[in-house]
Amino acid sequence: MKLKHLCCLIRSPGRNRMLNRVSTLVLKRGISTLHHDSLFRVHPSVSQALAENAPVVALESTIITHGMPYPHNLSTAKEVEAIVRSHNATPATVGVIDGKVHVGLSSEELDYLSRSSSSLKVSRRDLPYVISKGLSGGTTVSATMIAAHRAGIPVFVTGGIGGVHRDGENSLDISADLTELGRTPIAVVSAGVKSILDIARTLEFLETQGVCVATYGPSKNFPAFFSTQSGLSSPYQVCNPEEAADLIASALSLGLQSGVLLAVPIPEEHAAAGQQIEVAIQTAVKEASMKGITGKDVTPFILQKVNELTKGKSLEANIALIHNNAKVGSQIACALSARMKRRKITICSDHKPKPSQSDIVSMNPFLLLHVVTWCIRTCPPLIQVVIGGINVDFIAKGKTKTLQFGQTNPGSVCQSFGGVGRNIADSLSRMGHQPLFISATGADEHSEAVFSHCKHMNTSGIVKLEQQSTATYCAVITESGELSLGLGDMDIHQRITEDYVSKFENQLSSATLVCLDGNIPTSTINYVCKIAKKHGVNIWYEPTDSEKACKPFLSEAWKSLSYSSPNLAELCTMNRTLGLRTPEVLPSSLEEVLNVAMTLSRPLLEHLHCLVVTLGHLGVLVSGEHEAGSVNLTPRQKKTKRKLCALHYPALAVTSEETMNVSGAGDSFAGAMMAGMIQRRDTHTCVRMGLLAARLSLASPHPIAPTMTLDAVDPNLVHGPNWPMPTFFWLD
């Protein structure tokens, strides 16, 4: 939008309507920029909580990778997250997995970090190297602060922070935690400073860095991790969550680029062992010095040695203080969230106060112009494009177990609207996205019905062609829901030509995802693949049927695809088109089906990022790049040698009585899985969203169930399925 046009809009009579739309854009996108960052991934539960200004608590992960032995590390991590949830806050454990900073970890990712023997200890200085090499590790206080700050999380809970090491005035061994507190506006809730450090000099250094330090509780005594008293006092004191929230809010409102340290004493019942632990610490410190252990290796060594000397009592005390910190931090986060909501202020990822919608509407035009420009520059819209067929469907379902050809069979007939491309665009639209749908219809009565039914979709890419017939399809299905016969008049799909699709080249070249169905001409598929290769756009190819599955594979175009979702017969066609051997007869047993599917997927994964093979009542096989015990759905920019794996997910049970329509189940699955991927959800969630969407479709007379919404296919919200873990296979 040009500047003069924007200024005219601001002065126009519709100013308030426009401002409301802009303010909604600002408020929604302000939190989303990071969530689509190529280096940072925010878990959907964290993203949703932040969008709603609900309380979120950041948690570090070096306690998982380096602080405790397995399985204590995993159980403690899960217990801490459970404590945060029990106090009505959302936990966001931060870690680095395969070169990506994750803000919020799934259960599988927690398990991966807890078991990994190669995980690194990642501080601020280590982040560039670990990310550039695609490595994994636990984040220290400083690295966790960076990630939490970028995500817009103002409260972070840890065990104890680092500090100035003993003899630090000579060695200059000072933890990066302290300098991070001096330049990152985060409230850190900890049990003070580890007692193996020089606490007095640490407090002096924090003062120099401009960090506000306060003890949480009835006194100013600064705690020493395993002990409630260090012999030193904090400059300030807060007595309860509300006072702590007021302190944090004041720091944020002032725009200070420094943090707040809230020191929480260990519970008294666990502080009794403090003296014994202190003696063990002195012994461990001397041993570390004698062995020449220095730098970041000192703390893990001492903690391990102290645990041995105290016969596990230090580990018990460590877990107890972390649990207590999680409780206190969650209460503070809740109090801060309530305070911000009362003041109608949200926290941006840069931690400057962000205006509410009413604040934006009341802005003067020049300030508004600045906000709009920022929004357009930093938050480009997420564009999805679907290119494919649109049909008017007539579904005839028999009322007997078998259908007799050559005579009239009892049954029911209903009209609905289908087409693979239309179905996928429909499902994405019902789940909160607005993909541009490019297709063609005739200028007839069927097309009028199509446009009327698809009002909720972006149909601006559909062309009406004179003297052409809208595609129609008639499906005859048995009582059990199996397809018995299909007839279609699909000639108009060939009018979705390269020339017509090229009118949308700008949208195609800037799309986050383009979906092609096999109904469109091969030349059109080749054109879109060429655009995708040039601009680095991800393409999902939906083969439609075993005859049309070959289209991209007739040339080099298939090497530009990122995803495809064939069934086993379509996968065979793809392989045969490339001159590869395929079985003459498709197997029926699960074990044989999976072996064939994996064998046929392997050569395609030389170029495709991920294959999703739909296996009907046997479920789904997802194969691709291995990442943290799962399949990575996000393509990497650089093509490197990948370890390949596959996951088999069983199908959800649907009875024949429940099955009303089989024509849209696969499309519903694909659309819901795409929706999950666009939202950066983890692989298990994406696939389960697809399975839930397919079940909705099967039980509906329409290919895409009108009841489909994001909540209706969210496995965290839908009760019923007891999700088994998928079966894991290596493909290499």
Side-chain angles (χ1 to χ4, degrees):
M1 183 182 292
K2 292 185 177 179
L3 183 62
K4 63 179 182 179
H5 294 155
L6 183 57
C7 291
C8 290
L9 275 174
I10 292 173
R11 292 193 294 267
S12 71
R15 173 179 180 271
N16 279 352
R17 282 199 309 274
M18 189 276 294
L19 294 186
N20 276 307
R21 292 183 65 185
V22 169
S23 63
T24 301
L25 185 68
V26 173
L27 291 172
K28 285 185 177 179
R29 292 188 180 174
I31 204 72
S32 67
T33 306
L34 168 63
H35 303 179
H36 300 285
D37 192 305
S38 61
L39 302 181
F40 285 76
R41 295 184 180 177
V42 179
H43 192 276
S45 63
V46 177
S47 179
Q48 181 177 352
L50 291 172
E52 297 172 353
N53 293 328
V56 178
V57 174
L59 303 166
E60 50 122 324
S61 53
T62 48
I63 193 171
I64 302 172
T65 57
H66 293 79
M68 294 180 183
Y70 181 84
H72 297 290
N73 56 351
L74 179 60
S75 59
T76 300
K78 291 186 174 181
E79 287 164 5
V80 169
E81 288 199 344
I83 290 169
V84 173
R85 291 189 185 96
S86 70
H87 287 83
N88 301 315
T90 298
T93 303
V94 176
V96 182
I97 298 179
D98 293 342
K100 298 288 190 297
V101 180
H102 289 242
V103 182
L105 298 175
S106 67
S107 179
E108 293 81 6
E109 290 163 344
L110 281 172
D111 185 70
Y112 172 75
L113 283 181
S114 69
R115 293 174 183 269
S116 176
S117 59
S118 59
S119 292
L120 302 177
K121 188 175 182 181
V122 184
S123 184
R124 168 185 272 267
R125 70 158 190 186
D126 309 302
L127 278 171
Y129 179 81
V130 172
I131 289 173
S132 70
K133 294 294 185 181
L135 303 176
S136 301
T139 51
T140 65
V141 169
S142 64
T144 305
M145 288 177 70
I146 292 168
H149 172 56
R150 287 198 57 173
I153 303 172
V155 178
F156 162 39
V157 166
T158 184
I161 65 168
V164 179
H165 282 252
R166 299 182 185 190
D167 195 38
E169 67 274 22
N170 297 315
S171 67
L172 296 182
D173 191 350
I174 301 170
S175 171
D177 298 351
L178 304 187
T179 50
E180 202 63 49
L181 273 162
R183 60 185 166 189
T184 303
I186 290 280
V188 178
V189 178
S190 81
V193 180
K194 297 181 179 73
S195 51
I196 60 176
L197 304 171
D198 188 327
I199 297 177
R201 284 191 169 89
T202 297
L203 287 172
E204 287 291 340
F205 194 92
L206 286 170
E207 180 183 356
T208 302
Q209 293 291 310
V211 179
C212 182
V213 178
T215 298
Y216 182 93
S219 76
K220 283 188 175 183
N221 292 331
F222 188 81
F225 203 67
F226 291 120
S227 174
T228 58
Q229 297 187 24
S230 63
L232 300 163
S233 296
S234 293
Y236 305 108
Q237 167 200 5
V238 289
C239 296
N240 52 50
E242 287 71 27
E243 287 188 10
D246 288 342
L247 176 62
I248 297 166
S250 297
L252 295 175
S253 297
L254 287 168
L256 301 177
Q257 296 304 302
S258 55
V260 173
L261 177 63
L262 295 170
V264 182
I266 187 174
E268 286 290 344
E269 61 269 24
H270 294 282
Q275 187 58 42
Q276 179 186 353
I277 296 171
E278 283 299 328
V279 172
I281 287 172
Q282 299 302 324
T283 303
V285 168
K286 290 178 182 177
E287 185 172 339
S289 177
M290 290 173 58
K291 291 184 175 181
I293 297 172
T294 59
K296 65 180 181 180
D297 297 325
V298 171
T299 299
F301 172 82
I302 291 177
L303 291 176
Q304 177 63 32
K305 191 66 180 179
V306 169
N307 187 47
E308 293 174 6
L309 294 172
T310 61
K311 297 180 179 180
K313 287 185 179 180
S314 66
L315 179 60
E316 292 175 9
N318 197 356
I319 293 172
L321 70 84
I322 291 168
H323 285 181
N324 186 59
N325 290 354
K327 180 186 75 173
V328 172
S330 300
Q331 292 170 341
I332 292 171
C334 289
L336 180 62
S337 173
R339 191 183 191 282
M340 292 299 181
K341 285 178 179 178
R342 286 195 301 271
R343 294 185 60 188
K344 296 183 179 180
I345 293 177
T346 59
I347 303 299
C348 280
S349 58
D350 64 359
H351 276 265
K352 294 177 183 178
K354 182 178 177 181
S356 68
Q357 191 169 31
S358 59
D359 294 331
I360 294 173
V361 170
S362 62
M363 284 181 182
N364 67 61
F366 299 102
L367 181 55
L368 175 66
L369 181 60
H370 173 74
V371 173
V372 174
T373 304
W374 167 82
C375 189
I376 292 172
R377 185 183 70 248
T378 62
C379 306
L382 295 175
I383 301 172
Q384 302 91 41
V385 180
V386 179
I387 309 174
I390 186 166
N391 307 333
V392 178
D393 290 343
F394 297 92
I395 310 297
K397 183 177 182 181
K399 292 185 177 179
T400 56
K401 291 184 178 180
T402 59
L403 297 176
Q404 301 296 322
F405 288 90
Q407 67 181 55
T408 301
N409 294 268
S412 60
V413 180
C414 68
Q415 179 188 14
S416 62
F417 300 90
V420 172
R422 194 217 69 86
N423 289 345
I424 292 174
D426 187 353
S427 60
L428 284 168
S429 298
R430 294 183 187 278
M431 286 181 282
H433 303 283
Q434 280 292 306
L436 170 66
F437 179 42
I438 301 174
S439 188
T441 70
D444 53 18
E445 68 278 4
H446 286 318
S447 71
E448 296 303 321
V450 164
F451 280 95
S452 177
H453 180 77
C454 300
K455 288 180 179 177
H456 61 293
M457 297 165 53
N458 179 0
T459 57
S460 60
I462 302 176
V463 60
K464 283 186 181 182
L465 299 174
E466 297 291 339
Q467 299 180 335
Q468 295 291 326
S469 299
T470 300
T472 53
Y473 175 73
C474 180
V476 180
I477 62 177
T478 65
E479 183 187 36
S480 62
E482 294 298 319
L483 180 66
S484 177
L485 178 68
L487 293 172
D489 174 6
M490 308 292 185
D491 291 347
I492 197 168
H493 293 159
Q494 300 309 305
R495 299 303 184 100
I496 309 172
T497 62
E498 174 185 350
D499 183 58
Y500 177 66
V501 172
S502 67
K503 299 178 186 296
F504 304 95
E505 184 170 335
N506 287 339
Q507 291 93 325
L508 290 170
S509 61
S510 59
T512 53
L513 182 67
V514 175
C515 176
L516 305 176
D517 85 17
N519 287 309
I520 64 179
T522 302
S523 58
T524 305
I525 293 174
N526 292 343
Y527 164 74
V528 176
C529 287
K530 180 180 177 181
I531 294 295
K533 182 178 181 180
K534 179 179 178 181
H535 297 281
V537 175
N538 294 318
I539 296 183
W540 181 302
Y541 180 60
E542 179 59 45
T544 308
D545 60 42
S546 57
E547 181 182 343
K548 298 166 184 170
C550 66
K551 290 184 177 181
F553 299 86
L554 295 169
S555 68
E556 297 291 292
W558 74 277
K559 296 180 180 180
S560 298
L561 303 178
S562 298
Y563 309 94
S564 187
S565 48
N567 59 30
L568 198 55
E570 293 161 352
L571 185 59
C572 284
T573 298
M574 294 173 175
N575 277 258
R576 279 197 298 271
T577 307
L578 294 175
L580 303 173
R581 292 181 60 185
T582 61
E584 294 182 6
V585 179
L586 294 181
S588 56
S589 71
L590 176 60
E591 182 178 0
E592 291 176 323
V593 165
L594 292 178
N595 284 334
V596 169
M598 286 188 283
T599 300
L600 296 179
S601 295
R602 184 63 183 82
L604 302 189
L605 291 171
E606 290 296 326
H607 294 282
L608 272 72
H609 180 73
C610 179
L611 269 173
V612 183
V613 184
T614 55
L615 304 172
H617 68 282
L618 295 179
V620 180
L621 182 76
V622 181
S623 56
E625 179 185 33
H626 174 258
E627 180 181 66
S630 185
V631 174
N632 171 30
L633 295 180
T634 306
R636 299 187 188 280
Q637 296 300 315
K638 291 177 65 177
K639 294 293 183 182
T640 56
K641 185 173 176 57
R642 306 179 299 164
K643 292 184 68 176
L644 300 176
C645 67
L647 296 171
H648 172 247
Y649 295 82
L652 295 180
V654 182
T655 65
S656 58
E657 291 77 15
E658 293 174 314
T659 303
M660 298 184 66
N661 181 7
V662 295
S663 65
D667 304 335
S668 296
F669 174 87
M673 189 168 175
M674 289 179 209
M677 290 165 54
I678 292 166
Q679 295 177 329
R680 298 293 182 93
R681 300 203 179 193
D682 63 86
T683 303
H684 298 326
T685 300
C686 290
V687 176
R688 288 163 181 167
M689 288 172 67
L691 293 172
L692 287 169
R695 187 174 69 172
L696 280 177
S697 173
L698 290 170
S700 170
H702 303 281
I704 305 300
T707 55
M708 185 183 294
T709 62
L710 204 53
D711 287 348
V713 298
D714 190 332
N716 297 315
L717 300 177
V718 177
H719 299 288
N722 184 16
W723 296 106
M725 287 302 295
T727 306
F728 180 91
F729 303 92
W730 286 110
L731 293 186
D732 292 327

